[in-house]
Amino acid sequence: MLKIIHNQLGILIAPFIFVAALTGLLYGLTPQFENFIYQEHIIAQHLPNQKSHLISEQIQASLAVLPKEAQIFAVRTPTTINHTTRIIYQVSTHPNQTFAIFVNPYNLHIQGQLAVYGTSGVLPLRTFLDQLHRSLLLGEYGRIYSEFAASWLGFFALTGCLQWWIRHRKQDVGKQGYLIKWHYLIGLSILPILLFFSVTGLTWSKWTGENIAQIRHLINSDTPSLKRSLQATMPQMTDLHAEHHMHMVKDEIQQLNLKDFDRILNIAHQNGLNAQALQIKPSYRQDQAWSIEEINHRWPIQVNALAVDMSNDHIIDRLSFQDFPLSAKLTRWGVDFHIGVLFGWINQLLLVLAAAFLLVLLTCVYFTWWRYQRPYQTLQKFNVDILELWHKWHVYQKTTFFILLFLLYFIIPVWVVSVLILQLVVFLYYQLSKS
């Protein structure tokens, strides 16, 4: 059974895993690509020991190039002393598009503008590679591919390890070709990180990710969110991109007191928000507070946040990562490690090497497979072997199988649906062969 599942089924499904590994490898190299492509935007030239201007002065400088009908909804301080400040805004003529102005904090020079993604201001290249890895640029339904690959990756990693262990006990490993030996060696070497890719990829996926989020909600382990409402009876808005949908007029920007940006920075520093990288979200409504949050995702991560009523400098809510539930911490750490930022360049190097080794692992087995079979032959053999196995099973084994599928559907639905589709293919093949 292991041979049928891992060898024959693996050959048919592995192309999806190969594409996910390749796009993931490219995404892992994003920091180097960005530093090269966008260095004129993100690198702030300055003299040694030169002091930066106040954040309000930097925003004031950006107003000179801010488009008409625009609204600033976030300001990101430089991630290091060598980076620019980002003024993130949106205009009513492009309601689904976000832009950023890059300001040198030392001389107030505008170093350009770029279309960015979301309130976090992700740069275009990272956005492209992220969407490529996540959905192959096919939108929400394209995410089926990445969830499909992530769910089967862990399955094949475990069945491959089990198959090697059985062969090792029987002292049958030496009879394999050298490419299969490399397949085993690489697979065992990166087994932990393959399982990690699978688990964190599913946590971040659309359908399985939503199911995991619901399970976390049922056990009261949600990631806490900052409450910005100044009216206790008003329901809290949970749309992370709600700022995108607000009506924006130029007069609203002129109503902002830019000195409030300096004040909230001072309040943050006085209350323990000491990260270099901070994001400020102003409020244009009297019933909503300003927010400021740390955005340092390197270990030890700093993601504490404050909501401040700027009419009286009163802190109405705060988030401390230290107080997060364990599941929320694990999710945060897992996501940051998955994208290669948690441990800096070491994390990035580890992920890039793991993705590269996974590509080599798959290439080795495909070279071996191509020598003696073709796709149709593999599919035909898989159907025949599955039918033989199915006929050998007792009724209680078949019943248990479908019960497990039913239960797993509420956790990993894409994987279960793919198994049922394979079952349908086998059934149709059986019917055609009979006729």
Side-chain angles (χ1 to χ4, degrees):
M1 181 176 179
L2 277 177
K3 185 176 180 180
I4 298 173
I5 295 175
H6 188 81
N7 294 17
Q8 298 173 19
L9 186 58
I11 286 294
L12 301 173
I13 292 177
F16 295 93
I17 299 175
F18 187 94
V19 172
L22 179 60
T23 55
L25 186 150
L26 293 174
Y27 184 86
L29 297 173
T30 301
Q32 285 69 34
F33 292 150
E34 286 185 336
N35 288 336
F36 177 75
I37 296 173
Y38 303 119
Q39 57 182 329
E40 293 183 358
H41 295 83
I42 65 178
I43 302 301
Q45 300 295 335
H46 62 95
L47 298 174
N49 301 320
Q50 185 177 358
K51 291 185 177 181
S52 61
H53 287 265
L54 295 173
I55 193 71
S56 60
E57 296 173 342
Q58 299 175 46
I59 299 170
Q60 183 65 49
S62 74
L63 296 181
V65 297
L66 196 69
K68 197 174 182 179
E69 300 289 322
Q71 182 187 58
I72 297 172
F73 62 81
V75 174
R76 304 191 89 177
T77 62
T79 53
T80 71
I81 60 173
N82 297 316
H83 285 82
T84 53
T85 299
R86 300 185 191 183
I87 315 299
I88 305 172
Y89 70 91
Q90 192 177 40
V91 293
S92 57
T93 54
H94 298 83
N96 298 318
Q97 182 67 67
T98 312
F99 302 89
I101 300 171
F102 297 83
V103 182
N104 187 315
Y106 301 99
N107 56 26
L108 301 182
H109 287 172
I110 306 300
Q111 297 191 191
Q113 298 188 49
L114 287 172
V116 294
Y117 174 74
T119 57
S120 58
V122 178
L123 297 179
L125 178 64
R126 186 183 293 268
T127 301
F128 171 78
L129 292 177
D130 174 62
Q131 296 300 329
L132 184 66
H133 179 60
R134 185 181 306 211
S135 65
L136 294 180
L137 308 179
L138 298 175
E140 285 299 299
Y141 289 105
R143 297 182 67 177
I144 295 174
Y145 121 84
S146 58
E147 188 165 338
F148 177 81
S151 58
W152 280 103
L153 174 61
F155 186 81
F156 288 135
L158 291 174
T159 55
C161 179
L162 184 58
Q163 191 175 30
W164 171 86
W165 182 71
I166 293 173
R167 287 183 177 276
H168 184 72
R169 288 190 62 188
K170 294 180 178 179
Q171 297 182 347
D172 192 33
V173 178
K175 299 178 182 179
Q176 302 297 316
Y178 75 95
L179 287 177
I180 296 299
K181 290 181 181 178
W182 276 108
H183 178 83
Y184 279 132
L185 178 62
I186 296 172
L188 292 171
S189 300
I190 62 174
L191 176 64
I193 202 165
L194 292 182
L195 295 176
F196 172 83
F197 280 152
S198 179
V199 172
T200 54
L202 288 173
T203 302
W204 215 358
S205 65
K206 181 172 176 59
W207 293 276
T208 301
E210 289 177 356
N211 292 339
I212 293 173
Q214 290 178 3
I215 293 172
R216 288 177 55 197
H217 179 71
L218 290 174
I219 61 175
N220 296 320
S221 293
D222 293 324
T223 299
S225 59
L226 194 67
K227 298 178 177 61
R228 298 177 62 188
S229 175
L230 296 177
Q231 297 182 10
T233 57
M234 178 174 292
Q236 179 65 24
M237 180 172 57
T238 56
D239 184 2
L240 296 179
H241 299 288
E243 297 94 334
H244 293 191
H245 314 309
M246 295 171 60
H247 177 67
M248 296 167 291
V249 294
K250 186 70 174 180
D251 291 340
E252 288 182 319
I253 292 177
Q254 294 172 347
Q255 292 173 6
L256 277 181
N257 182 356
L258 299 187
K259 290 296 181 181
D260 286 346
F261 287 91
D262 299 328
R263 287 168 52 210
I264 198 170
L265 270 180
N266 290 331
I267 293 170
H269 292 153
Q270 293 167 7
N271 286 272
L273 272 65
N274 300 316
Q276 174 76 26
L278 295 164
Q279 179 168 264
I280 304 168
K281 290 185 179 179
S283 173
Y284 297 92
R285 292 160 43 185
Q286 293 181 351
D287 60 356
Q288 188 177 60
W290 287 42
S291 70
I292 183 167
E293 58 182 324
E294 297 175 310
I295 49 175
N296 173 37
H297 293 279
R298 291 187 61 172
W299 186 271
I301 72 171
Q302 297 167 286
V303 291
N304 297 343
L306 299 174
V308 183
D309 182 353
M310 297 307 296
S311 66
N312 55 21
D313 292 352
H314 176 63
I315 298 173
I316 67 164
D317 192 27
R318 67 176 68 217
L319 293 179
S320 175
F321 184 71
Q322 185 177 356
D323 299 329
F324 280 22
L326 179 60
S327 66
K329 290 180 178 179
L330 291 174
T331 300
R332 181 72 271 164
W333 289 329
V335 168
D336 291 337
F337 192 94
H338 189 109
I339 62 177
V341 300
L342 187 59
F343 299 112
W345 69 267
I346 295 176
N347 191 168
Q348 183 188 7
L349 179 63
L350 180 62
L351 293 188
V352 168
L353 287 177
F357 280 134
L358 179 55
L359 293 174
V360 173
L361 176 151
L362 295 173
T363 302
C364 285
V365 78
Y366 268 104
F367 268 118
T368 302
W369 166 75
W370 194 257
R371 292 176 180 175
Y372 64 89
Q373 264 190 3
R374 293 295 183 268
Y376 177 75
Q377 294 173 312
T378 301
L379 181 61
Q380 189 178 40
K381 182 170 175 40
F382 171 73
N383 287 330
V384 171
D385 291 345
I386 283 292
L387 284 171
E388 290 181 0
L389 182 65
W390 182 257
H391 290 311
K392 290 179 182 178
W393 276 7
H394 297 292
V395 174
Y396 76 88
Q397 290 176 306
K398 297 177 181 179
T399 304
T400 302
F401 173 74
F402 282 112
I403 290 175
L404 285 174
L405 283 183
F406 176 77
L407 295 175
L408 286 173
Y409 176 79
F410 296 99
I411 303 176
I412 45 176
V414 171
W415 184 84
V416 171
V417 169
S418 68
V419 171
L420 292 176
I421 290 174
L422 286 169
Q423 291 286 328
L424 179 61
V425 169
V426 171
F427 174 76
L428 291 176
Y429 174 83
Y430 175 70
Q431 294 297 322
L432 290 173
S433 62
K434 283 177 61 178
S435 61

